[in-house]
Amino acid sequence: MTTDEIREKYLKFFEERGHAKIEAAPLVLENDPTTLFTSAGMQPLIPYLKGEVHPKGKRLVDIQPSLRLQDIEEVGDASHTTFFEMLGNWSLGDYFKKEQLAWCWEFFTKELGLEPERLYVSVFEGTKDVPKDTESADVWKSLGVPEERIFYYGVDKNWWSRSGTPDSMPDGEIGGPDSEIFFEFTDIPHNKKYGKDCHPNCQCGRFMEIGNSVFIQYEKQKDGTLSELPQKNVDFGGGLERISAAVGGYSDIFLTDIYEQAIRVMEKITGRKYRQVKSESADFRIIADHLRAAVAIAKNGVYPGNKLQGYVLRRLIRRAVAKIRQIKPDSAVDIIGKMCESFGASNDVGDVIKEEVEKFERILLEGARVVKQNPKIDPFELYQSFGIPYEMSLEIFSGVGRLLTDKDKKEFEKKFEEHQEQSRSASAGMFKGGLADASEEVTKLHTATHLVHAALRKVLGETVSQKGSNITAERLRFDFSHAEKLTDGQIKKVEGLINEVVDKDLPVTFETKTLDEAIKEGALHFFGERYGNEVKVYTIGDPKGGWFSKEVCGGPHVEHTHLIGHVRIVKQEKVGSGIVRIYATNKPE
Ligand code: SER
């Protein structure tokens, strides 16, 4: 069975059981200040899991391209990736454990033909606040899963929220206990030797988690307690790559047809066989994963750069180049071009990636020139000035006859860690994919951003369009197309318009519609094809007419403009030809 067939079977199976197929959300979220990438199928559905009515009903199914940077260090083993496709089905306060687990079982055993004897399940063992999930265990038993293949785990394994355990959930975050399903592989030689303590969550390679039914029924409160949501939801997510591996009987997802062509390209050009040399299989996997992720990100219109999504794209490409050059120094562009094609990159996307490869190779040459002039330079300085990783420094330094020692390596690692520590704390919120930053303040400033945008167009004309935005709890930053900085008079006018709307306390509402309808109504939209077919349109004022602002946007927003408070522009600068950046805040002077 091919991976494409698995996709089709999944959608059909759940459509036949009353689920409406929904458009996947874009991988890159431009208007969501809380996270860089969609990391789970449930992410775009949060308002509906909290009780809002979904236009397509209470049963939904989709396949969501997702990216999780928190797994990046795991990539290189047989089951982890940064980018993956998530099969997802949801009950928005409709069916619950009994139906979900029975369908899950039927899908895996009947539709995909996985042997029931190879399937193991886990359920939540409970805490002092949330009961042990004997209900799910009973359902599994009724489906024929013997007791010895049902395992109980605590909050670390069988609780799911975007931020992890109940304790680490910020207020407003939703989650609940979950029940996972694992496949047992028999194609691993060391499998026979697993210890008697081996269990589904053991990392020896015997088991792979292939699906997770989360029973989202709690919301974290400000006082730290969990409260019951108005409805009990099901949020199922299954990694397509792993499911395809289980169906094929491979304990290595990189042996599935998803990566097959890419691995072949590498084998052909490098003359090495995947799996022939074990340490190299990790490199092959990292290269394949990172390029697949890079293609997916670049398809969303992102360019390699030094910030946010662009930075991630750059790091992924450069990590792949570094690994390829260790195996075959002069073929990176060729290998990468062909691999990207195998992952469905169009010519344009392939070009964006190849340009970054060439740019990086030029930087390596420049690094080599610097080292030649100054062989004593610190490898960490090369990393900081040029982004050259240590592995590549080895190559560059040996070119001038300096062999880096273990001591050099340790020193590099120490400095690298200190540096990581700093950038980690700076960007923790964004990279966690959680709601760490989604405070009420960010939401207020998000709505203020729409006001700023509309007001700028009213004062400066309709040629003004958004080029970027960034929101923290303290201020909003807004980049837009305009030739010159604003005059004091224009700033006053813009502020005046915004604060008039704040004082009028206009309602902020949204409707879901097709992108075409949204455009017809005059809703601002800036990322064209990056939207799905259905979009949310947020209106400030009366949606039927005389509104102040209408924009395609994922939310969240405040419900009334007076909640924002008065807005003032605190700074402006030109950031490139034809782009002006303003900073505004709702905090008093
Ligand atoms: N949200 C859960 C996950 O990402 C299940 O869909 O694993």
Side-chain angles (χ1 to χ4, degrees), residues 39-42 68 86-87 90 160 209 212-214 216 235-238:
S39 66
M42 59 77 81
R68 291 189 179 171
M86 190 187 270
L87 306 185
W90 293 273
W160 198 89
E209 180 209 323
N212 184 12
S213 301
V214 187
I216 297 194
D235 159 34
F236 173 80

